[in-house]
Amino acid sequence: ALARLTDRDRQLIVLRLVRGVSCLDIAARLGMPSDAAVGMAVRRALLRLKKRLDRAGSPATSLASLPRSRCRQVVATAGAEVANPVRFC
């Protein structure tokens, strides 16, 4: 599922949730106007990832390219995001 996202969505999720890069640093790297814009973009990317995971039916195999601990974190974050919007920055 992660591989099927756009390059930008994949970059946002990996930089913020997997590598722990700050929103200010992500904004500078990706040419985004602010850390708030990064937070909103991460939230939207996670929602798109959640939809793909729901369709795939198997989160563990869909995110096989990530280390297991990070895979669980991304899946949990994507699932929780739908019920409780979170600020990522």
Side-chain angles (χ1 to χ4, degrees):
L2 192 61
R4 292 185 183 147
L5 294 175
T6 65
D7 288 340
R8 187 172 188 102
D9 282 354
R10 196 168 40 257
Q11 285 177 324
L12 287 164
I13 291 171
V14 169
L15 287 172
R16 186 68 187 126
L17 298 176
V18 177
R19 295 188 182 166
V21 176
S22 75
C23 290
L24 286 174
D25 287 343
I26 293 171
R29 286 183 191 190
L30 300 182
M32 298 178 79
S34 68
D35 62 336
V38 171
M40 180 57 74
V42 169
R43 181 175 187 271
R44 289 178 179 157
L46 284 171
L47 288 172
R48 286 187 282 273
L49 176 61
K50 169 106 172 61
K51 286 179 186 176
R52 290 190 183 277
L53 290 171
D54 288 345
R55 279 189 235 141
S58 180
T61 58
S62 299
L63 295 171
S65 63
L66 295 177
R68 286 185 186 170
S69 61
R70 293 299 187 183
C71 176
R72 284 188 213 108
Q73 177 187 4
V74 170
V75 170
T77 303
E81 174 56 25
V82 173
N84 302 308
V86 176
R87 288 195 63 195
F88 289 100
C89 298

